Amino acid sequence: MKFTLQVAFGVTLAAATAKCGNPWKAPGPEDYRGPCPMLNTLANHGFLPHDGRNITKQTTVNALGSALNFNASLAELMFEMALVANPEPNATFFTLNQLNVHNVLEHDASLSRSDAFFGNNHVFNETIFNETRAYWTGPVLDANMLANGKVARQVSSKAFNPNYTFTSTIEQFSLGEVIAPIVAFGDVDLAMVNRTLVEYFFENERFPTELGWSTRSTPITLEIIGKLTGIMSNATSLITTAEPVVSTKRRDLHFGGL
Ligand code: HEM
Ligand code: MG
């Protein structure tokens, strides 16, 4: 039974891969990979160079455009921000392993990677990812669930990593990373995303095509990113408004739904 299922699943996977113009291929020992699950995924599918090297502005615009329907100006902006990772002055490209340098772009309290203090800061770490997804409490992730995972990782790092560093600049990057699953795989108007797609993506560094996902048809713009970042920033607050929560509780507890 198990074998039959595996064969059946294998055939489905092969069919899905054949339909997708950019088939997935695992990285080899000489290929560079980094702390960004999306850039790794894009390289695994060949949207970015499979060896993880020589990522130029044009390569980035093409990759983010064709795989995720990012508009060109947003992709260009992201590339410009990434260039700091290449230590060469006036660099025109970066490589995926250049992103691994701690506290340049890579930072503590990642959703799926260990803090540099504890060891490897760029390879997917299931124990860490389990910490995050313990807060993904439903089949559809909303801003609160994603925010709770982020904040929990920060509390864990702050408590146990004596080098814990999280500046306000890092917070802005971090918010961008926490909304990224919605941007790539979810509904940007509702700010929600199916948990299974997100888990598959993190665990496999592969597009969840065989789970029914495909590239969205309307472009992702800087404006959409700004709106989602605001929603996520609000959701990370541990302060609530008094009225709705208290009044709902009171009605439920004391007035029997009146
Ligand atoms: C994390 C770079 C585009 C999704 C990261 C990190 C870096 C990075 C350096 C590690 C931060 C950390 O320590 O956690 C970049 C660059 C990009 C890019 C240079 C484009 C030029 C994207 C896109 C998406 C994405 C387009 C998805 C829409 C993520 C996610 C994380 C992340 C979800 C968090 C991983 C975690 O916390 O474990 N990215 N990224 N990235 N990135 Fe990207
Ligand atoms: Mg990190």
Side-chain angles (χ1 to χ4, degrees), residues 35 99-100 102-103 105-116 120-122 153 177:
L99 301 174
N100 296 340
H102 184 50
N103 280 341
L105 291 171
E106 192 284 318
H107 58 77
D108 285 333
S110 298
L111 306 175
S112 66
R113 270 71 174 163
S114 180
D115 286 2
N120 190 306
N121 68 348
H122 55 275
R153 285 287 302 125
E177 292 153 17

Side-chain angles (χ1 to χ4, degrees), residues 192-221:
M192 288 181 178
V193 59
N194 280 332
R195 187 179 63 200
T196 48
L197 300 182
V198 184
E199 289 177 340
Y200 179 97
F201 156 72
F202 269 103
E203 286 169 345
N204 301 294
E205 298 199 334
R206 181 174 183 148
F207 284 122
T209 317
E210 54 260 33
L211 300 183
W213 173 84
S214 59
T215 308
R216 68 175 65 255
S217 52
T218 39
I220 295 292
T221 61

Side-chain angles (χ1 to χ4, degrees), residues 30-157:
E30 302 303 318
D31 294 326
Y32 288 157
R33 290 295 179 268
C36 177
M38 181 54 80
L39 295 186
N40 292 350
T41 299
L42 292 168
N44 292 342
H45 280 278
F47 287 103
L48 289 175
H50 194 266
D51 65 4
R53 293 161 169 85
N54 195 28
I55 300 172
T56 63
K57 185 191 277 189
Q58 197 55 53
T59 321
T60 306
V61 169
N62 292 345
L64 295 185
S66 54
L68 297 170
N69 202 356
F70 276 34
N71 75 4
S73 57
L74 175 60
E76 278 170 18
L77 188 68
M78 296 187 76
F79 173 80
E80 303 296 347
M81 295 195 326
L83 262 188
V84 64
N86 187 333
E88 292 293 324
N90 305 318
T92 55
F93 70 91
F94 68 94
T95 65
L96 291 186
N97 69 332
Q98 285 173 340
L99 301 174
N100 296 340
V101 181
H102 184 50
N103 280 341
V104 175
L105 291 171
E106 192 284 318
H107 58 77
D108 285 333
S110 298
L111 306 175
S112 66
R113 270 71 174 163
S114 180
D115 286 2
F117 176 80
F118 297 116
N120 190 306
N121 68 348
H122 55 275
V123 169
F124 174 80
N125 181 316
E126 192 168 3
T127 309
I128 299 290
F129 187 53
N130 285 342
E131 269 187 43
T132 302
R133 66 176 169 176
Y135 298 87
W136 296 356
T137 49
V140 179
L141 306 181
D142 62 15
N144 278 312
M145 294 180 207
L146 289 162
N148 291 345
K150 164 185 154 59
V151 172
R153 285 287 302 125
Q154 287 178 258
V155 172
S156 172
S157 290

